[in-house]
Amino acid sequence: MPINQGNINYIEKAIRESIMVQPFVEDAEVHIDPTVNNKKPGVYKYLTLSGEMLDVRIKINYDGNVIVARLKYIPEMDYPLMYIEE
């Protein structure tokens, strides 16, 4: 997906809204950091969204069991890791 400074907020909101329709999701936060790994826009002034740019936190409640799941780029691993944060 092409991104630039003008559409990042819209894309963050769209991703959050799509997560919120999933069963058991109580809350979600989505942040896009286009500067991860020093990415720079190409000749056409946009970047392509990648997993390493995403920082996503999701609160899930299933039958009273609550967890917070996370997707976050871990520089030491050079990988966008999905894990249970809480």
Side-chain angles (χ1 to χ4, degrees), residues 3-45:
I3 63 169
N4 64 25
Q5 289 300 324
N7 70 1
I8 287 177
N9 290 336
Y10 298 109
I11 295 169
E12 289 172 338
K13 183 178 179 185
I15 293 170
R16 180 188 184 280
E17 293 301 317
S18 67
I19 292 168
M20 293 301 298
V21 301
Q22 296 292 311
F24 315 115
V25 174
E26 285 189 347
D27 195 18
E29 299 173 19
V30 178
H31 301 285
I32 297 172
D33 181 358
T35 65
V36 172
N37 279 347
N38 297 315
K39 294 203 178 244
K40 299 197 184 335
V43 65
Y44 298 109
K45 308 294 184 216

Side-chain angles (χ1 to χ4, degrees), residues 2 8 14 20 22-23 30 32 46 50 54 83-85:
I8 287 177
M20 293 301 298
Q22 296 292 311
V30 178
I32 297 172
Y46 72 88
S50 65
L54 295 169
Y83 58 96
I84 297 175
E85 187 173 70

Side-chain angles (χ1 to χ4, degrees), residues 49-82:
L49 181 64
S50 65
E52 62 198 11
M53 295 177 188
L54 295 169
D55 185 353
V56 180
R57 181 178 281 128
I58 302 170
K59 181 178 179 184
I60 300 169
N61 184 341
Y62 180 74
D63 198 28
N65 299 297
V66 178
I67 67 158
V68 176
R70 185 92 183 255
L71 166 65
K72 182 178 179 181
Y73 177 70
I74 309 297
E76 298 81 21
M77 299 175 70
D78 191 27
Y79 191 76
L81 186 66
M82 288 186 269

